[in-house]
Amino acid sequence: MPQVNCAQCDNPFAPREAKQRFCSPTCRIEWFANERREAVRRYRSDSPNSYFEMEAARDDGTVALAGSTQPMPYAAPAWSRDAALLPPESPLGWNVNELPDCSGIGGREASDDEA
């Protein structure tokens, strides 16, 4: 196999496998430790880390619920906030007897024995 450069120390070495990236276990462990440190630094930084944080940074994250403005725990997309502002739909009915007769649905009529 041709010589490749180590991903950590940049020294050339002959890999034993095609996917080998590091010249030694020491370089591999050091590289992954640096990656973890960088991930923690990015996580603790002030920049947004997730979709919800990016949306919160772009908008104020509030929505009117029942006539009042309450902060949302997570930022929601604009279409969701717009849908929350729509008036509530009226219920189909609270009493079962108010529903229309559905006995003819299904292709056969209900007989007196079944009803």
Side-chain angles (χ1 to χ4, degrees), residues 20-110:
Q20 186 175 352
R21 296 170 46 195
F22 306 101
C23 62
S24 67
T26 305
C27 282
R28 181 191 46 160
I29 291 168
E30 189 175 334
W31 188 86
F32 280 105
N34 289 337
E35 285 294 305
R36 282 192 299 272
R37 277 189 220 101
E38 179 63 23
V40 169
R41 186 194 61 74
R42 283 193 312 263
Y43 179 75
R44 292 179 179 168
S45 71
D46 292 335
S47 64
N49 295 315
S50 68
Y51 166 77
F52 295 110
E53 290 179 9
M54 285 188 278
E55 282 292 314
R58 190 172 59 154
D59 297 331
D60 62 352
T62 60
V63 66
L65 297 173
S68 66
T69 303
Q70 300 174 0
M72 295 179 60
Y74 298 106
W79 61 265
S80 177
R81 289 192 302 268
D82 295 341
L85 297 175
L86 293 174
E89 295 182 9
S90 60
L92 292 175
W94 298 108
N95 187 352
V96 176
N97 296 328
E98 293 176 4
L99 295 176
D101 180 30
C102 298
S103 61
I105 298 176
R108 65 183 186 96
E109 295 293 325

